[in-house]
């Protein structure tokens, strides 16, 4: 049992409630900037590879101080240290949580160093043999995996396109829906394809089903030598062997699926960017680990972001957060973050199993800018809900089109400006609107064209998107999720919520053959009859 109180029982929580009523609720960013010329500096945070401007958020120094006090009372530092030390903080599964050990450098004294090094070295050596395409003959790599065994590589490979192998194509098959794998297989030749069956458990229905389809296709197409064209990344080496896979790269039960891109699950990334760059990815993540482990929470970027999340979710009541990366390479980052954050912190009981009286994980969603601008930014600017936005700007592109880069970055800044500044009714009234419907009253039209402003955002800035900076960015997100989860007093490392649907699916499957609807609720029975026929 923790000696630290749950957040809602902490003194600082009460103080934050009072502070919210007195100041937080009515804080106006425009006034706050006018009042305090030092606001940008006060709310800027430099972490390894990632700079954050947190000044356009609905908080002040008093909020920040109380949130840091809350972290102190709730034992964030102790919980963080317990994670790094390999204590079994994943209490419902009795496991340590040690993804940080996967990126610790040689000689750092991190737990399991020898095992981690051995797999990493073997995995990177294998990646290099695949990259030598004249001898390996491999031109297509297909990662078959889902959730944490898919989203990390699927996010990182396009993100690092600038340094990726030019002669190997990467494909990601995750969905059990055959519309996922079918178009991928259409373009492949067995002799030049490497399938990576990625599954921590090697039992996941989707992955096993897709791997079986891939193996059948491979043999039907005249493919020879399954053992050469299928490799496994898994903790379940015996199940992989039973599939016919002899080359496997293992990891351990203390690596959660959504924290596993640093492990053997990162094999597609290693093949794409090579051993040296993969080590740089790990080094970037490690630099962020050190920052999180040692910086005081006032200057600790993941901690600041996690504390802000608590402030927004539990005091402002904001139920979602939008992520807007202004770098097309990060197009899958929102999906990656959805699993990281919502599978980790989408919990409704505390560590002791008691129902929580407060909200936890927000909905996390987004699209790369500027695509999001032409889709849902309307709602962000003028909808009824306030949705904090997280902009990610990358200063130097890895393409030669400077004019496009300047436009992308200007759009990024303009959006955060527009959210904050808004457009008052008087300004809207003064504008000529050539397309207005004839007869519409000017005042009424101005109301449609008014922007309330005072909508919060964070801007993260990377110098360039490199293996090192991507590693740091993702580790920052991991620790931010950890921070919020620790304050909420939940287990961020289990995922029981995915089990029930899996069990019911296993129960439904045989009914497709028999047509038996006995014991089903009327809606499910009727849908089953409709879908079967
Ligand atoms: O969705 C549940 C989950 O267990 C995730 O946490 C995990 O990343 C995913 O399934 C895939 O699991 P596995 O790697 O065992 O196939």
């Amino acid at each position: 049992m923790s000696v630290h109180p749950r957040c809602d029982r902490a003194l600082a929580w009460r103080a934050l409630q009072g502070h919210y009523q007195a100041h937080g609720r009515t804080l106006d960013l425009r006034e706050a900037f006018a009042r305090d010329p030092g606001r940008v500096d006060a709310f800027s945070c430099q972490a390894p590879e990632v700079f954050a401007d947190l000044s356009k958020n609905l908080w002040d120094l008093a909020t920040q101080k109380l949130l840091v006090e809350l972290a102190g009372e709730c034992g964030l530092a102790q919980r963080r240290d317990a994670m790094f030390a390999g204590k079994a903080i994943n209490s419902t599964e009795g496991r340590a949580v040690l993804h940080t050990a996967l990126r610790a450098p040689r000689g750092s004294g991190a737990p399991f160093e020898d095992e981690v090094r051995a797999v990493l070295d073997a995995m990177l050596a294998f990646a290099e043999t695949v990259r030598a395409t004249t001898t390996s003959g491999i031109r297509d790599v297909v990662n078959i995996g889902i959730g944490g065994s898919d989203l990390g590589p699927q996010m990182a490979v396009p993100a690092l396109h600038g340094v990726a192998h030019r002669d190997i194509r990467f494909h990601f098959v995750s969905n059990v829906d055959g519309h996922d794998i079918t178009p991928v297989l259409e373009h492949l030749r067995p002799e030049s394809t490497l399938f990576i069956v990625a599954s921590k458990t090697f039992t996941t229905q989707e992955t096993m089903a897709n791997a079986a389809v891939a193996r059948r296709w491979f043999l039907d197409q005249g493919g020879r030598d399954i053992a050469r064209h299928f490799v496994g990344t898994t903790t379940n080496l015996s199940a992989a062997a039973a599939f016919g896979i002899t080359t496997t790269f293992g990891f351990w039960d203390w690596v959660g699926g959504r924290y596993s891109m640093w492990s053997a699950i990162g094999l597609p990334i290693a093949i794409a960017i090579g051993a040296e760059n993969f080590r740089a990815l790990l080094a970037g993540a490690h630099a962020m680990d050190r920052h999180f482990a040692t910086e005081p929470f006032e200057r600790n970027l993941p901690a600041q972001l996690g504390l802000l999340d608590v402030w927004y979710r539990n005091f402002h009541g904001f139920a979602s957060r939008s992520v807007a990366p202004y770098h097309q390479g990060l197009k899958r980052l929102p999906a990656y973050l959805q699993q990281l954050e919502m599978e980790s912190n989408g919990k409704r009981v505390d560590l002791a199993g008691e129902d929580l009286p407060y909200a936890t994980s927000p909905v996390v969603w987004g699209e790369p800018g500027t695509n999001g601008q032409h889709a849902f930014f309307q709602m962000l600017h003028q909808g009824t809900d306030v949705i904090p936005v997280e902009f990610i700007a990358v200063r130097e592109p890895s393409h030669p089109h400077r004019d496009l880069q300047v436009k992308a970055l200007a759009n990024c800044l303009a959006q955060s400006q527009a959210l904050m500044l808004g457009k008052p009714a008087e300004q809207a009234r003064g504008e000529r609107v050539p397309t207005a419907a004839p007869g519409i009253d000017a005042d009424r039209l101005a109301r449609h064209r008014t922007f309330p402003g005072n909508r919060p955002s964070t801007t993260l800035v990377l110098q360039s998107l490199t293996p090192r900076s991507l590693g740091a960015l993702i580790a920052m997100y991991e620790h931010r999720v950890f921070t919020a989860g620790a304050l909420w007093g939940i287990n961020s490392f289990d995922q029981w919520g995915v089990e029930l649907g899996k069990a019911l699916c296993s129960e439904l499957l045989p009914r497709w053959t028999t047509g038996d609807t006995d014991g089903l609720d009327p809606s499910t029975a009727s849908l089953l009859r409709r879908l079967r026929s």
Side-chain angles (χ1 to χ4, degrees):
M1 263 297 143
S2 170
V3 294
H4 302 282
R6 205 173 68 184
C7 58
D8 59 325
R9 297 174 184 139
L11 294 175
W13 184 269
R14 275 279 171 78
L16 279 161
Q17 282 173 327
H19 173 69
Y20 175 73
Q21 290 305 333
H23 306 285
R25 211 161 41 96
T26 50
L27 188 143
D28 187 291
L29 287 168
R30 296 153 292 200
E31 288 167 16
F33 276 106
R35 244 193 337 264
D36 178 8
R39 186 173 169 88
V40 174
D41 288 341
F43 291 98
S44 291
C45 193
Q46 178 69 62
E49 303 289 332
V50 188
F51 169 83
D53 177 356
L54 302 164
S55 66
K56 290 197 190 89
N57 282 295
L58 297 170
W59 62 351
D60 57 20
L61 289 173
T63 325
Q64 199 183 43
K65 184 166 168 288
L66 287 172
L67 287 167
V68 170
E69 278 174 30
L70 182 67
E73 264 190 88
C74 296
L76 173 62
Q78 289 77 1
R79 197 157 170 79
R80 172 199 63 193
D81 296 347
M83 172 175 73
F84 279 99
K87 301 266 163 54
I89 63 164
N90 175 357
S91 50
T92 58
E93 298 180 306
R95 290 175 183 170
V97 173
L98 273 174
H99 45 280
T100 52
L102 298 168
R103 52 229 190 183
R106 207 180 291 279
S108 66
F112 302 104
E113 185 177 330
D114 292 344
E115 294 91 320
V116 167
R117 288 280 131 199
V119 175
L120 178 64
D121 291 347
M123 194 259 278
L124 294 183
F126 177 77
E128 288 299 336
T129 64
V130 176
R131 286 168 61 80
T133 48
T134 34
T135 45
S136 75
I138 297 300
R139 297 299 171 139
D140 290 280
V141 171
V142 184
N143 191 74
I144 301 179
I146 196 163
S149 297
D150 165 60
L151 287 163
Q154 201 192 130
M155 175 274 297
V157 170
L160 299 176
H161 176 77
V163 293
H165 199 295
R166 286 288 173 261
D167 300 326
I168 302 180
R169 288 175 295 268
F170 292 85
H171 314 270
F172 296 90
V173 171
S174 52
N175 198 337
V176 78
D177 175 358
H179 298 101
D180 199 2
I181 195 166
T182 306
V184 171
L185 294 178
E186 268 167 21
H187 299 286
L188 302 181
R189 287 179 304 124
E191 63 276 15
S192 56
T193 301
L194 176 72
F195 291 98
I196 301 172
V197 184
S199 175
K200 181 174 168 180
T201 54
F202 224 82
T203 56
T204 303
Q205 182 203 60
E206 293 90 336
T207 303
M208 293 304 105
N210 277 318
V213 168
R215 184 174 53 184
R216 204 162 52 235
W217 170 88
F218 182 80
L219 296 173
D220 289 351
Q221 299 294 311
R224 284 213 294 262
D225 204 354
I226 294 231
R228 210 173 90 76
H229 289 272
F230 284 76
V231 298
T233 50
T234 183
T235 57
N236 187 351
L237 303 187
S238 55
F243 181 91
I245 288 178
T246 53
T247 305
T248 44
F249 301 96
F251 53 112
W252 306 271
D253 69 359
W254 41 261
V255 183
R258 53 194 175 275
Y259 299 88
S260 66
M261 62 176 263
W262 325 100
S263 72
I265 291 294
L267 178 59
I269 309 172
I271 296 174
I273 66 175
E276 201 183 321
N277 280 322
F278 194 85
R279 289 190 197 277
L281 178 86
L282 299 181
H286 177 70
M288 189 61 77
D289 292 343
R290 296 316 306 150
H291 172 86
F292 182 55
T294 57
E295 279 297 319
F297 292 140
E298 292 81 357
R299 295 195 302 273
N300 188 315
L301 181 53
Q304 286 288 307
L305 290 169
L307 293 174
L308 192 54
D309 291 340
V310 171
W311 173 241
Y312 279 162
R313 190 74 185 102
N314 302 120
F315 297 89
H316 280 276
F318 301 152
S320 99
R321 186 175 73 248
S322 189
V323 190
Y326 278 71
H327 189 302
Q328 186 65 16
L330 294 173
K331 63 184 178 199
R332 293 299 284 160
L333 183 68
Y336 179 84
L337 295 179
Q338 282 177 337
Q339 188 198 18
L340 179 65
E341 189 149 348
M342 291 156 74
E343 200 170 75
S344 295
N345 285 348
K347 310 288 162 66
R348 48 171 283 287
V349 296
D350 66 16
L351 287 165
E354 273 184 52
D355 284 345
L356 294 176
Y358 47 82
T360 57
S361 177
V363 176
V364 179
W365 56 285
E367 273 289 312
T370 55
N371 297 1
Q373 290 175 211
H374 292 274
F376 51 79
F377 269 55
Q378 163 65 39
M379 178 198 175
L380 299 180
H381 288 292
Q382 288 190 314
T384 49
D385 288 293
V386 174
I387 299 174
V389 184
E390 200 155 280
F391 295 97
I392 304 175
V394 181
R395 223 176 137 221
E396 292 166 8
S398 53
H399 62 70
H401 310 292
R402 197 182 132 68
D403 53 332
L404 294 181
Q405 172 68 358
V406 170
K407 288 187 173 73
L409 292 182
N411 268 284
C412 178
L413 289 196
Q415 290 302 320
S416 71
Q417 252 189 323
L419 285 166
M420 175 178 74
L421 297 176
K423 187 203 283 183
E426 313 80 70
Q427 188 184 337
R429 251 193 305 271
E431 291 171 346
R432 264 179 53 80
V433 188
T435 53
I440 186 165
D441 175 87
D443 277 353
R444 276 189 192 285
L445 182 58
R447 293 175 71 173
H448 290 278
R449 297 173 48 80
T450 298
F451 289 61
N454 204 34
R455 300 213 157 177
S457 68
T458 293
T459 302
L460 302 172
V461 182
L462 307 185
Q463 179 68 20
S464 54
L465 191 57
T466 60
R468 190 177 167 87
S469 67
L470 182 70
L473 182 73
I474 300 303
M476 179 204 79
Y477 278 113
E478 290 175 350
H479 297 319
R480 173 232 202 113
V481 169
F482 177 91
T483 297
L487 260 74
W488 284 326
I490 57 181
N491 183 357
S492 301
F493 300 101
D494 62 11
Q495 55 283 320
W496 300 105
V498 299
E499 294 304 324
L500 178 59
K502 282 191 205 170
L504 292 180
C505 179
S506 305
E507 208 262 309
L508 278 172
L509 270 175
R511 294 177 187 265
W512 246 265
T513 322
T514 60
D516 173 20
T517 57
D518 266 11
L520 293 179
D521 65 84
S523 162
T524 307
S526 140
L527 287 169
L528 174 62
R529 280 192 289 271
R530 189 178 287 268
L531 287 170
R532 254 188 101 237
S533 59

